[in-house]
Amino acid sequence: MDEDFRAAARDREVVNVLRLLMVDDHLMLTEALSARLSEVADVWVVGRCATDDPQLPALVDRLRPDVVTVDVDPVRSTGDLVESVRTHRPAVHVVVLTGGLDPQRAVDAARAGAAGWVPKECGVDELTTVLRGVCRGHAWYPPELLGEVLRGLRADVVRAARRDGPLDVLSDRELDVLRGMVEGKRGSRIAAELRISAETVRTHTRSILAKLRVHSQLEAVSVAAAAGLRAPGQPGDSGEPDAPGRSNTSGSLDVPGQLGASGPPSTSGRPGAAGASGEPRAPGEIGTIGRPSPPDRR
């Protein structure tokens, strides 16, 4: 009897149990799946939560999962959900466990670092195989999605090779957050408008500062201004960054690194006291450099 007990103890010692956190809005499904996975010797479901649970980052930190399964159907941005998990535990493996096959969401998930995509129509045995595989460094996407994922990632590489601007290191969502910072919006408002959490905005902000190699949001805004990224409605705003120092269609000159330029000096010696027409200008209004009047040929 003692020998059997010692043999069982040795068997338990050699089993590498993977810790699994399930992020899904369907409680009944996760409970049923947890019960089935409890029969698998090397899988331990350490927790479950909803996709919009504000405690998700804290759960990832506290439970230290090896793998996190996420359902992307209820969320607006697949990439943001995957990134929010991986940011708080970079070593974690993320597997999308969702209904259906959505090529664009699959590309977004792969870009954000998801190691696998498993439709909910698959069985527990296939899910278990994928969970074990991603922990060994493998990746798994259904054949129906793999071609689109590879084409999307290949296109990213081509675009990256062509980019040389200071803001081209940022992702599309990071550019959205930076544009909100340029507009002077608080993080909570940026989160509400982009329909992401305030924590995700903070994560993107940290990434922006690191990629632009600056130490504050003010410096990041200055870099953005120098690269021509403007708030909507500002002179030269066309939705794309202008080249530094390039004249825009309104005839004004964009001065790199300056925000809220006060315009040319007035005759009274007070900068920005009046515009080209002589009318007083509101504080902080961006002025334009007027063209000289043609000579009187009479």
Side-chain angles (χ1 to χ4, degrees), residues 28-76:
M28 185 179 296
L29 173 66
T30 56
E31 287 181 345
L33 191 53
S34 296
R36 288 291 308 276
L37 290 173
S38 66
E39 302 171 2
V40 181
D42 59 343
V43 177
W44 177 20
V45 180
V46 296
R48 302 185 299 268
C49 73
T51 56
D52 60 351
D53 191 335
Q55 297 302 315
L56 175 58
L59 283 174
V60 172
D61 288 337
R62 179 167 58 86
L63 298 176
R64 296 176 291 107
D66 301 303
V67 185
V68 177
T69 59
V70 297
D71 183 6
V72 298
D73 278 345
V75 301
R76 179 180 176 86

Side-chain angles (χ1 to χ4, degrees), residues 163-195:
R163 291 178 172 182
D164 57 3
L167 302 184
D168 289 331
V169 295
L170 305 180
S171 68
D172 292 340
R173 185 45 59 93
E174 287 167 348
L175 279 173
D176 291 338
V177 173
L178 180 58
R179 188 173 289 106
M181 293 162 53
V182 170
E183 295 171 16
K185 297 175 182 176
R186 293 181 177 274
S188 57
R189 183 177 173 187
I190 296 175
E193 291 183 354
L194 297 180
R195 296 185 181 182

Side-chain angles (χ1 to χ4, degrees), residues 205-216:
T205 301
R206 289 193 292 267
S207 179
I208 290 168
L209 299 185
K211 289 182 178 180
L212 297 183
R213 299 182 180 181
V214 295
H215 300 91
S216 69

Side-chain angles (χ1 to χ4, degrees), residues 262-287:
S262 58
S266 67
T267 54
S268 63
R270 292 182 293 108
S277 63
E279 294 295 329
R281 184 182 299 115
E285 181 181 340
I286 299 179

Side-chain angles (χ1 to χ4, degrees), residues 15-20 22 32-45 66-69 93 95-97 115-140:
V15 173
N16 293 321
V17 178
L18 64 87
R19 301 165 62 88
L20 172 64
M22 305 184 70
L33 191 53
S34 296
R36 288 291 308 276
L37 290 173
S38 66
E39 302 171 2
V40 181
D42 59 343
V43 177
W44 177 20
V45 180
D66 301 303
V67 185
V68 177
T69 59
H93 305 283
V95 173
V96 175
L97 178 60
W117 181 292
V118 180
K120 288 181 178 178
E121 292 80 5
C122 295
V124 174
D125 290 341
E126 184 171 350
L127 173 62
T128 305
T129 299
V130 173
L131 296 179
R132 291 170 179 154
V134 297
C135 288
R136 293 194 294 268
H138 301 168
W140 195 97

Side-chain angles (χ1 to χ4, degrees), residues 4 10 16 25-26 36 38 84 88 96 113 115 178 194 196 207 229:
D4 291 341
R10 285 195 299 270
N16 293 321
D25 290 352
H26 301 96
R36 288 291 308 276
S38 66
S84 67
H88 289 83
V96 175
L178 180 58
L194 297 180
I196 58 179
S207 179
L229 186 66

Side-chain angles (χ1 to χ4, degrees), residues 137-148:
H138 301 168
W140 195 97
Y141 279 78
E144 301 90 333
L145 297 177
L146 189 56
E148 193 68 28

